[in-house]
Amino acid sequence: MHPTRLLPLALAATALLVSACGTAEEATDPGSSPSASSSGTPMPKPKPQPEPSRPPSSEKPVRGLVSAGGAAEGDLEKTATALPDEAAIKAYAATLGTSLQASFTTEATTLLAHVPAGQRLYAQTVYDGCEAPDPATITAGTTGGDVVLSVTPPKSTKIQCLVAERSVALLSTDLPVG
C-alpha cells in the first residue's frame, strides 16, 4: 500500500482515540470529566483502610542459604543450632569448612538483624551436592524437642562435579523448643 493512502487511516484512528480518551486536562482533573459534571454528584471517596498493628511481612521468617564447594566435610547435621547472637554465629561458623566460614558469618549476621520478634534464627547443614537448593524451600520442624531444618534438593541434572558443595540453611522460626 502506498504511504499517502495510509495517511487518512492514521488521521481517522488518531481522531477516534482523542475523542474517546478526552483531553489531557480531563485526565488529570477528575472533576472536569464529562461523567462527573453531567451527573452533578462528586465521585465517592475511597474508604480508608485501617492501619495494621504490625506489617504482615514482619511475621514472615527470614531465610538464607550459604553454599561453597570443598566444604562438604563430615556428615550433615541432624538438628539445627540456635543463633541468638553474633557470638553464637561465630562459634557455629568455626565448625564449618573454611570456604563457608566468611560467607556464612556475613549472611547469618545480616539475617539476625531482621529476625521478627518472637522468632529465633537457626542454622543447619542440609545438603551436599553439585548445585545449591532453592532457599525458598527451607522449612522447619521439631524432633524430640529439637528444631530441624530441611530443604528440597534441586532437581537432578546431568552436571557432574569434582567437588561437592555443602549448603547451610538459615531460617528464623517461632517453634517451641523443649
Side-chain angles (χ1 to χ4, degrees):
M1 203 174 225
H2 198 276
T4 56
R5 292 183 188 169
L6 292 177
L7 184 61
L9 287 173
L11 290 174
T14 304
L16 181 62
L17 285 173
V18 169
S19 66
C21 296
T23 66
E25 292 81 22
E26 289 174 342
T28 58
D29 183 10
S32 68
S33 69
S35 61
S37 62
S38 64
S39 66
T41 58
M43 297 291 284
K45 291 185 178 180
K47 254 169 110 177
Q49 296 295 321
E51 289 279 327
S53 58
R54 60 192 290 196
S57 63
S58 69
E59 295 180 10
K60 289 183 180 179
V62 295
R63 66 182 71 229
L65 188 82
V66 181
S67 299
E73 301 166 3
D75 294 331
L76 296 175
E77 297 165 331
K78 299 198 183 313
T79 60
T81 300
L83 304 173
D85 53 33
E86 286 190 41
I89 290 171
K90 288 178 182 173
Y92 184 83
T95 68
L96 299 173
T98 308
S99 61
L100 267 172
Q101 291 176 359
S103 57
F104 171 81
T105 302
T106 301
E107 180 74 5
T109 302
T110 301
L111 292 175
L112 183 63
H114 296 92
V115 172
Q119 294 187 18
R120 180 178 266 185
L121 184 63
Y122 289 89
Q124 182 177 345
T125 56
V126 292
Y127 185 76
D128 288 339
C130 295
E131 296 179 54
D134 182 356
T137 66
I138 302 169
T139 58
T142 57
T143 300
D146 293 320
V147 172
V148 177
L149 301 182
S150 58
V151 67
T152 303
K155 293 182 179 172
S156 65
T157 61
K158 297 186 191 257
I159 295 175
Q160 293 183 359
C161 53
L162 297 175
V163 180
E165 288 187 0
R166 169 142 302 170
S167 296
V168 180
L170 291 152
L171 182 70
S172 68
T173 183
D174 58 358
L175 290 175
V177 179

